[in-house]
Amino acid sequence: MTRFLIATAVVATMVCGCTQSPARPVPKNGDLVVLLPKPNGHIGGVVVRTPDGKEILLNQAYAGARVDAAGNLESVTYSAEQAKQEFDAAVTALPERPAIYTLYFVEGRSEMTAESQAEIERISREIAARTYPDVMVIGHGDTTGTIQFNDQLSLQRAQRVRDAFVQAGVDPHHIEAIGRGKREPAVPTSEGVSEPRNRRVEINVR
């Protein structure tokens, strides 16, 4: 039996046997789909539909749908305690959710703004708390200066952040730093515009 644990937009799958697509479950005989709340308590919804057109809308926490051995689709309901007992081990084993952070920089320099500098310690702790973090640090620039200048500056910014994470205790083997120059502005502008929101480093953590 395949059991799909769906947490609104974030989907967790526990597989016993074959693997289905968790984003759009297509259950087979004996399969079970259960809707879990997100950590913040938010509940979305999902329609469970069998190949022959039978369907059930799940839009309440711990609501479920089961396909019995004869192919009949039936509603099931779990309590929070029942769901924890049956699915907790599978949820605990899932990869941690990706996280994205953004730090901002002084114009024309690889120095972070005071506000962003103050965030380094907090972000470092959150990265270090992950079992096997995979960190991509991507530097960006605004449209002032040449392509070559921004390529170099954006890489320097990324390396500055990487170094700060390493100094804070993050394993350097888990961090990659790259620069994208002025090719990917967060706020599109004309050439030569000093836009603070484009002078940034994005940190993608998986």
Side-chain angles (χ1 to χ4, degrees):
M1 178 178 72
T2 302
R3 288 179 286 183
F4 300 95
L5 311 184
I6 302 178
T8 312
V10 179
V11 182
T13 308
M14 183 171 82
V15 179
C16 303
C18 61
T19 302
Q20 301 283 352
S21 170
R24 292 185 178 179
V26 181
K28 296 180 179 179
N29 293 5
D31 286 351
L32 169 68
V33 180
V34 178
L35 183 67
L36 302 182
K38 296 176 72 173
N40 63 6
H42 177 75
I43 300 297
V46 63
V47 174
V48 180
R49 183 179 294 111
T50 59
D52 62 1
K54 300 172 185 175
E55 63 179 46
I56 291 177
L57 170 65
L58 306 181
N59 58 7
Q60 300 291 328
Y62 309 111
R66 177 186 289 114
V67 183
D68 65 20
N72 299 309
L73 185 62
E74 59 181 1
S75 297
V76 295
T77 302
Y78 279 76
S79 68
E81 183 60 31
Q82 288 173 323
K84 180 177 177 60
Q85 290 178 356
E86 186 163 350
F87 306 130
D88 195 49
V91 173
T92 300
L94 290 169
E96 295 169 277
R97 295 179 180 178
I100 300 175
Y101 308 93
T102 305
L103 301 174
Y104 297 97
F105 286 74
V106 177
E107 182 178 2
R109 299 166 62 182
S110 62
E111 178 184 346
M112 278 176 271
T113 64
E115 294 80 5
S116 289
Q117 182 65 51
E119 289 290 294
I120 285 291
E121 184 176 349
R122 177 184 66 84
I123 297 172
S124 298
R125 287 198 305 268
E126 294 182 10
I127 293 173
R130 292 173 176 256
T131 307
Y132 299 106
D134 180 12
V135 185
M136 177 67 73
V137 181
I138 308 167
H140 299 274
D142 59 26
T143 59
T144 62
T146 65
I147 291 175
Q148 293 78 10
F149 173 79
N150 277 286
D151 282 350
Q152 182 179 18
L153 180 59
S154 64
L155 179 58
Q156 289 174 348
R157 287 170 172 167
Q159 291 172 334
R160 181 79 172 259
V161 172
R162 180 186 183 277
D163 290 346
F165 287 155
V166 172
Q167 290 175 4
V170 179
D171 188 336
H173 296 97
H174 295 312
I175 311 173
E176 181 178 359
I178 64 173
R180 295 296 298 151
K182 57 182 179 179
R183 297 173 182 82
E184 300 172 3
V187 180
T189 69
S190 300
E191 186 65 22
V193 174
S194 175
E195 170 51 63
R197 290 169 291 180
N198 289 336
R199 300 192 296 268
R200 72 198 192 280
V201 161
E202 295 174 348
I203 303 112
N204 297 321
V205 184
R206 294 179 294 176

